[in-house]
Amino acid sequence: MYQYSEKTRKLISQIGSGDAAYVPKAITCAINTLDEIANDATLSEKVRETAAFAAANLALSDYNDND
């Protein structure tokens, strides 16, 4: 298992227990969120580049959120 941040682990627990919403199209959600981060001029260029790189790789992967 990956070493997630405390914030991420907390949300994993909340989603798993039903205390927080589950997003069925999670990869599309992740791409959109990463793209928002990439476009946020208030963040450092390094953070924006990292987010854009991750979004681009997910967009080009063979994911399918249509099911």
Side-chain angles (χ1 to χ4, degrees):
M1 178 117 169
Y2 293 103
Q3 299 297 319
Y4 298 111
S5 68
E6 181 61 31
K7 280 185 175 289
T8 300
R9 287 194 308 270
K10 182 178 177 184
L11 281 167
I12 289 170
S13 178
Q14 289 174 345
I15 293 168
S17 70
D19 291 338
Y22 170 76
V23 178
K25 296 188 177 195
I27 294 178
T28 298
C29 176
I31 293 169
N32 290 336
T33 301
L34 289 164
D35 189 52
E36 285 180 32
I37 293 167
N39 284 313
D40 187 342
T42 66
L43 299 172
S44 73
E45 188 61 27
K46 180 174 172 46
V47 168
R48 295 174 68 201
E49 279 293 321
T50 301
F53 182 78
N57 274 282
L58 283 172
L60 291 173
S61 72
D62 58 354
Y63 83 95
N64 182 353
D65 269 349
N66 294 325
D67 297 333

